Amino acid sequence: MNIGEASSATGVSAKMIRYYESIGLIRAPLRTESNYRVYSSDEVHTLRFVKRARTLGFSVEETATLLGLWQDKERASAEVKSIATGHIGALETKIVELQSMVKTLKHLANCCGGDERPNCPILDDLAGETIKTKGH
Amino acid sequence: MNIGEASSATGVSAKMIRYYESIGLIRAPLRTESNYRVYSSDEVHTLRFVKRARTLGFSVEETATLLGLWQDKERASAEVKSIATGHIGALETKIVELQSMVKTLKHLANCCGGDERPNCPILDDLAGETIKTKGH
DNA sequence: TATAGAGGTTCCCATCATGGGAAGGTCAAG
DNA sequence: CTTGACCTTCCCATGATGGGAACCTCTATA
């Protein structure tokens, strides 16, 4: 299986496969006589593992750790679980931040006429002027 | 007001103030004879505008547009509102994605013993094996 | 069999927003 | 006058990805 086939089999672009190899996330595969990379089904499996971890939002570094644990038959599942829960915490923090941004923006957009007149509470807020909330 | 004072007055690092100037987001301020940047209160106000927009998750490019609209007394608030609502949409999409990641991870972490034994559903899932959900 | 085009290889550059740090100039307090 | 804090410019790094050039290789078809 050459790099193009491995790419479509895993959803990881050829560019990224080479990149992952260059940073040592995955091992360098064998080559044909004409220097083409050849991927075994094991290596494709590894690529799928990487793809899934990245999709779940793990950084490449975290992915490398998980990959190491995956390949270590003696590892304790506690270690994996702690990486996962740490990651859940980071994601949840991010979600809260985004939600707070959305909340503020919705409030502003709500107060903004969105018409032809120049008066605009959104810009006023960005400029630091306190917004007059209409009594609820 | 020199760059350090402008920085602590706005929460934008001196590094970033220079960067914003270099990419044309803000105008180059006057200089002292000894080549120090000097910021007027107007310029500090602009920096605060930028800071607030960035905090709300607008990209530098979007911020530039908003800044232009802010300085254009003739603009229609509709234009600003459309940028804001577009941005809200993007943030909400991101939130949904993150929530879906969290949901999956929580499910996995929940099924993972987190003990000394090597059996680990999180790694199994990453490796592409279907997880056996305990009947509820 | 010659050729076209699809796909491989390496290498360099760009992105986005930010920080680090070097080398050197300036200012204020002791 | 020295010290230390601050300013200046310039270059480099980050993380994950894509773009593209220059060149090589394979395969199908005219």
Side-chain angles (χ1 to χ4, degrees):
Chain A
M1 203 186 247
N2 64 25
I3 201 168
E5 292 162 330
S7 170
S8 41
T10 60
V12 182
S13 73
K15 261 315 205 201
M16 289 314 297
I17 295 177
R18 293 192 198 99
Y19 171 69
Y20 290 153
E21 180 188 327
S22 81
I23 61 170
L25 177 63
I26 60 177
R27 253 171 293 169
L30 295 176
R31 303 278 186 130
T32 63
E33 280 183 12
S34 52
N35 206 32
Y36 281 25
R37 289 171 178 82
V38 181
Y39 294 90
S40 69
S41 60
D42 248 36
E43 288 163 324
V44 168
H45 198 181
T46 299
L47 277 173
R48 267 199 268 265
F49 182 104
V50 169
K51 174 70 179 177
R52 180 96 174 96
R54 298 283 304 116
T55 301
L56 285 172
F58 288 100
S59 70
V60 168
E61 205 178 345
E62 287 168 325
T63 303
T65 306
L66 291 170
L67 207 45
L69 291 168
W70 181 44
Q71 282 154 358
D72 172 11
K73 297 297 172 204
E74 297 305 312
R75 89 275 151 167
S77 69
E79 206 170 336
V80 181
K81 187 164 184 170
S82 107
I83 292 176
T85 54
H87 189 53
I88 290 170
L91 292 178
E92 285 182 331
T93 301
K94 189 82 194 161
I95 289 171
V96 167
E97 281 173 19
L98 292 178
Q99 280 170 338
S100 135
M101 292 180 198
V102 166
K103 192 179 161 195
T104 304
L105 279 173
K106 278 195 168 167
H107 174 58
L108 294 174
N110 216 37
C111 294
C112 173
D115 48 30
E116 299 307 314
R117 284 165 298 134
N119 186 312
C120 179
I122 297 173
L123 292 179
D124 289 348
D125 175 272
L126 290 172
E129 281 148 48
T130 341
I131 198 163
K132 283 168 230 144
T133 309
K134 294 168 202 160
H136 61 277
Chain B
M1 205 188 250
N2 65 25
I3 200 169
E5 291 163 330
S7 169
S8 41
T10 60
V12 182
S13 73
K15 261 314 207 206
M16 288 315 296
I17 295 176
R18 293 192 197 99
Y19 171 69
Y20 290 152
E21 180 187 326
S22 82
I23 61 170
L25 177 63
I26 58 177
R27 253 171 292 169
L30 295 175
R31 303 278 186 130
T32 64
E33 281 183 11
S34 53
N35 205 32
Y36 281 25
R37 288 171 177 83
V38 182
Y39 293 90
S40 69
S41 61
D42 247 36
E43 287 163 324
V44 169
H45 199 182
T46 299
L47 277 173
R48 266 199 269 263
F49 182 104
V50 169
K51 173 69 179 178
R52 180 96 174 98
R54 298 284 303 118
T55 300
L56 285 172
F58 288 99
S59 70
V60 168
E61 205 177 344
E62 287 168 325
T63 302
T65 306
L66 291 170
L67 208 45
L69 292 168
W70 180 43
Q71 282 153 359
D72 171 13
K73 297 298 172 202
E74 297 305 310
R75 90 276 152 165
S77 70
E79 205 170 338
V80 180
K81 186 164 185 171
S82 108
I83 292 177
T85 54
H87 188 52
I88 289 170
L91 291 178
E92 285 182 331
T93 301
K94 189 81 195 160
I95 288 171
V96 168
E97 281 173 19
L98 292 178
Q99 279 170 339
S100 136
M101 290 180 199
V102 167
K103 191 179 163 196
T104 305
L105 279 173
K106 278 194 168 168
H107 174 60
L108 294 174
N110 216 38
C111 293
C112 172
D115 49 30
E116 299 307 314
R117 285 165 297 134
N119 186 309
C120 180
I122 297 173
L123 292 179
D124 289 348
D125 175 89
L126 290 171
E129 282 149 48
T130 341
I131 199 164
K132 284 168 229 143
T133 309
K134 292 167 199 157
H136 59 281

